[in-house]
Amino acid sequence: MSSTSLQFPHRRYNPLRREWVLISPHRTQRPWQGEVNPSSGFSDVHYDPTCYLCPGNTRAGGHVTPPYESVYIFDNDYAALLPDSPEPPADVHPLLHAERERGRCKVLCFHPDHSLTLPRMQLEDIRKVVDAWTAEYAELAQVPELNYVQIFENRGAMMGASNPHPHCQIWATEHVPDEPAAETESQRAYLAEHKSCLLCDYLKVELKEKTRVVCENEHFAAIVPWWAVWPFETLVLAKRHLGSMPEFTDAEKTALADILKQVTTRYDNLFEVSFPYTMGFHQSPVDGEEHPEWHFHAHFYPPLLRSATVRKFMVGFEMLGMPQRDITPEGAAERLQALSSTHFTLK
């Protein structure tokens, strides 16, 4: 039986997290009387005098954003992590345990133009962003007390972005966070058992079946994963086994820029809206150890469900039991595959 014929309730296994997701395809026809959100529009404002990320404007605490012309990086004015956090007091009980967490938080502006997003940027400008990501990862990896570098973008107010200016964040932490720590253990266990890479093997299956492959180029493939939780979730996988951006060739850096533009353009074209998402790269920890198990990838977690105004919520059974989705991954992939990789024209 092919995966596309699974039109009845079933659950699928996520080998990266070693968790399950419930698939309920028959629920796609249920009526919606829940919350309806305003859709995310596109900005035609190239410079906003009230935006603290636009060139020349004042940020919190009196810091001035310089008149930058390409990528601009600075330490977050409201950092969630500090490089000099002290040790907490001794535990009063083993169940009330705390640890120090030192770190760095940076903001990386993609472009000085306030109106842009990744899908609306030129490929050469996205490539400059990839170069900056690579340099920041390599620099933070050299800081002895830091063991993980998380690069992520929250796009749109629906995903909590406090500023629409094109930017992302980089958080470097003393400990490896829970999500990449779980992926480390899963990939390590798979390598020990099978003597091969989990995501290399998974990518071979997907490229052979093609059902869930949204788009690809010479060096990367974007897939709606077999175990996807969010309706139009995608997983971007490097076709070569490598652990982090500093290992990329020049061609792979350009190819990453291209696949990010392809994926985000298809997202925008799906509902003809500036598509919200959280995107992040999972790369090898920078803890000084060898990580042959690690395979570079990016997760896109977009919240939209059936239109530009109806979002997916994680509530009820999903919070208390396990994740659940209505649209099958194959159905989501089919819709994304059918879209143009050229950005739609605003009416």
Side-chain angles (χ1 to χ4, degrees):
M1 180 181 293
S2 71
S3 56
T4 55
S5 63
L6 297 177
Q7 296 300 315
F8 50 83
H10 62 283
R11 68 177 191 165
R12 298 189 186 187
Y13 185 63
N14 178 349
L16 265 181
R17 294 282 295 135
R18 293 191 272 193
E19 295 177 348
W20 294 89
V21 55
L22 176 64
I23 316 291
S24 310
H26 59 293
R27 280 167 51 91
T28 56
Q29 302 304 314
R30 67 185 178 125
W32 182 264
Q33 292 182 309
E35 180 180 355
V36 176
N37 299 273
S39 62
S40 302
F42 293 94
S43 173
D44 58 1
V45 176
H46 301 288
Y47 167 77
D48 181 351
T50 67
C51 170
Y52 54 87
L53 297 182
C54 279
N57 291 347
T58 301
R59 304 198 315 271
H63 300 290
V64 176
T65 299
Y68 63 99
E69 297 181 354
S70 180
V71 174
Y72 172 57
I73 306 165
F74 63 94
D75 288 329
N76 196 319
D77 298 316
Y78 294 96
L81 296 155
L82 299 173
D84 54 357
S85 292
E87 289 279 3
D91 296 341
V92 297
H93 190 280
L95 294 177
L96 305 177
H97 180 59
E99 292 183 345
R100 178 182 61 189
E101 189 63 48
R102 294 174 293 180
R104 294 281 302 278
C105 292
K106 295 189 173 186
V107 176
L108 189 155
C109 297
F110 296 162
H111 198 281
D113 190 332
H114 184 81
S115 70
L116 294 180
T117 57
L118 280 178
R120 302 176 80 192
M121 288 172 62
Q122 296 297 314
L123 182 61
E124 55 267 30
D125 289 327
I126 303 176
R127 168 59 199 266
K128 293 175 184 176
V129 175
V130 173
D131 289 338
W133 285 333
T134 305
E136 286 297 313
Y137 176 94
E139 179 182 324
L140 291 166
Q142 298 305 309
V143 181
E145 64 269 20
L146 300 180
N147 290 294
Y148 197 77
V149 179
Q150 181 62 67
I151 301 169
F152 64 97
E153 180 195 8
N154 293 325
R155 179 69 205 156
M158 191 180 289
M159 295 307 289
S162 59
N163 189 312
H165 195 98
H167 75 285
C168 73
Q169 298 186 57
I170 304 172
W171 292 18
T173 55
E174 185 171 0
H175 296 89
V176 180
D178 288 352
E179 291 294 320
E183 291 190 0
T184 298
E185 291 306 311
S186 297
Q187 292 177 96
R188 184 177 290 158
Y190 188 94
L191 179 63
E193 180 178 354
H194 299 277
K195 311 304 179 188
S196 59
C197 165
L198 188 161
L199 289 177
C200 283
D201 289 354
Y202 174 65
L203 181 59
K204 290 175 185 176
V205 174
E206 291 289 12
L207 291 178
K208 180 179 180 180
E209 187 167 321
K210 293 291 185 183
T211 311
R212 288 169 294 276
V213 178
V214 174
C215 54
E216 62 178 306
N217 58 29
E218 184 179 356
H219 298 289
F220 291 90
I223 295 158
V224 177
W226 170 258
W227 55 82
V229 170
W230 295 94
F232 295 97
E233 177 181 334
T234 52
L235 178 68
V236 174
L237 289 166
K239 290 186 175 180
R240 183 167 69 93
H241 181 70
L242 46 83
S244 63
M245 288 181 179
E247 300 172 50
F248 287 6
T249 63
D250 185 74
E252 284 169 335
K253 291 176 183 177
T254 300
L256 178 61
D258 172 68
I259 204 74
L260 294 177
K261 184 173 177 64
Q262 284 197 55
V263 171
T264 54
T265 297
R266 288 171 188 266
Y267 278 153
D268 278 9
N269 288 345
L270 181 62
F271 298 129
E272 296 194 350
V273 67
S274 185
F275 206 86
Y277 57 76
T278 283
M279 180 275 288
F281 300 106
H282 277 171
Q283 310 185 63
S284 301
V286 295
D287 53 7
E289 298 181 14
E290 295 294 323
H291 286 282
E293 76 279 4
W294 255 94
H295 189 111
F296 175 90
H297 59 279
H299 295 282
F300 276 90
Y301 298 134
L304 295 183
L305 176 59
R306 58 175 72 189
S307 72
T309 59
V310 175
R311 65 175 296 177
K312 162 78 173 179
F313 289 92
M314 291 292 182
V315 295
F317 183 82
E318 292 151 311
M319 294 181 72
L320 300 166
M322 65 177 174
Q324 181 271 336
R325 63 179 289 132
D326 297 346
I327 304 170
T328 64
E330 294 75 31
E334 184 177 16
R335 292 177 66 179
L336 291 171
Q337 290 163 357
L339 297 168
S340 170
S341 57
T342 301
H343 204 277
F344 74 92
T345 302
L346 290 171
K347 299 180 176 65

